[in-house]
């Protein structure tokens, strides 16, 4: 359980509370912050070929992993303030995609 | 275990394999797709006040949850192709933030 | 003069006034809207190779041009509410880039 | 004429040629770069209220103007490689919006 999204959500809630940051964490602001982080993630790839993007060196890969973490942290916080069950929403979406795009 | 990110990752890998979509799923393309979905998520909030964003009606909230799911699905797929452990990266980032922004 | 950015800015100001939309057009909201449109623009390219992106068919190209127009319209409106001279800012940025990245 | 978008486009073309950067400037890559800059622009506003975003101090405003310039520079370069007339596309879009959203 220590690795789960639920644990992450709790820890982030305590983090925000301890800094009195919850007043900044409206869904509107968290969605903006997530889009900003998605841009920082994309920045690592913008001038690479697809092939190069598949073969990042270790240092660059660590930077990319950190941006991915930022995206996840804002997504989890948005899910908390909106009371959305992320994994349930993800499973529903996969099922919809499975119906929408039949396998070969 | 059925709810975990690992299970989600496996299911998405099978989904892509069954459609022969893995050739499209370079890190560069997945990072683009994630940024596009982050934009679609933000679109729901762009003209709302922060206050309104805290009080979405059920239908709008369901649409927002679906966009959040899309973000998560691409993030998990990017983690798979890059062999990044998302939860570990998230925990490292929280620890860094805890050192960087001391509690009040 | 009918084609200039200044004329575009004026026309957009009248458009917003005639619909009482100026109250929505805070810099924060316009920057969000611009990011959303940048995502819609990127969506057209997300699964294409770079080569394919250089050879769009006419219909797709017209859709891309429309998304580019949306980006420009929000950028011009943001410049109006922030009283930024876009072309002057662009020229300053080019000069900075010319110093920062010497020619071969 | 020295201030026009056309002049800007020419100058950017020379800038890219002099650095042999045109091979990086596929529409796909330029659309990514534009989305990244749109994120950097949005970053300035993500934790501000709308009211605060209307009253930026001079230093912050100059930083925002620089990000707006970056967005315009990539948009103009994308228009060049795609042979899109930006101002014409913008005018067409305004006319479409005028029909779609009647004035009060």
């Amino acid at each position: 359980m220590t690795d789960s999204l639920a644990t992450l959500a709790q820890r982030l809630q305590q983090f925000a509370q301890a800094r009195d940051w919850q007043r900044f964490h409206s869904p509107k602001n968290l969605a903006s912050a997530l889009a900003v982080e998605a841009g920082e993630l994309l920045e690592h790839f913008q001038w690479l070929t697809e092939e190069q993007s598949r073969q990042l060196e270790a240092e660059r890969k660590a930077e990319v992993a950190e941006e991915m973490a930022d995206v996840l942290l804002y997504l989890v916080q948005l899910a908390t303030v909106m009371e959305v069950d992320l994994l349930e929403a993800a499973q529903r979406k996969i099922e919809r995609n499975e119906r929408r795009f039949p396998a070969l």
Side-chain angles (χ1 to χ4, degrees), chain A:
Chain A
M1 260 304 276
T2 46
D3 297 327
S4 75
L5 283 185
T7 310
L8 203 60
Q10 270 189 340
R11 199 164 163 191
L12 286 166
Q13 225 174 342
Q14 288 162 1
F15 181 86
Q17 263 166 359
R19 284 151 189 83
D20 195 18
W21 283 359
Q22 287 158 316
R23 65 211 151 102
F24 298 119
H25 289 183
S26 62
K28 181 184 177 83
N29 286 2
L30 289 170
S32 291
L34 195 157
V36 169
E37 296 299 337
E40 294 184 6
L41 175 58
L42 183 57
E43 188 175 11
H44 287 282
F45 299 112
Q46 64 188 344
W47 305 123
L48 301 186
T49 64
E50 287 185 62
E51 197 49 35
Q52 289 170 329
S53 83
R54 292 188 191 266
Q55 302 170 337
L56 297 189
E57 76 229 22
E59 197 185 347
R60 172 61 64 105
K61 192 181 141 180
E63 291 168 1
V64 168
E66 188 174 341
E67 301 296 354
M68 292 170 67
D70 284 329
V71 170
L72 184 60
L73 296 188
Y74 283 123
L75 186 63
V76 166
Q77 289 177 92
L78 181 58
T80 297
V81 300
M82 289 196 52
E83 298 176 4
V84 161
D85 184 326
L86 260 185
L87 285 170
E88 193 190 292
Q91 276 155 6
R92 261 203 312 272
K93 190 59 194 262
I94 292 181
E95 283 155 25
R96 205 167 307 142
N97 286 343
E98 284 170 345
R99 288 191 301 271
R100 211 171 135 205
F101 306 104
L104 299 179

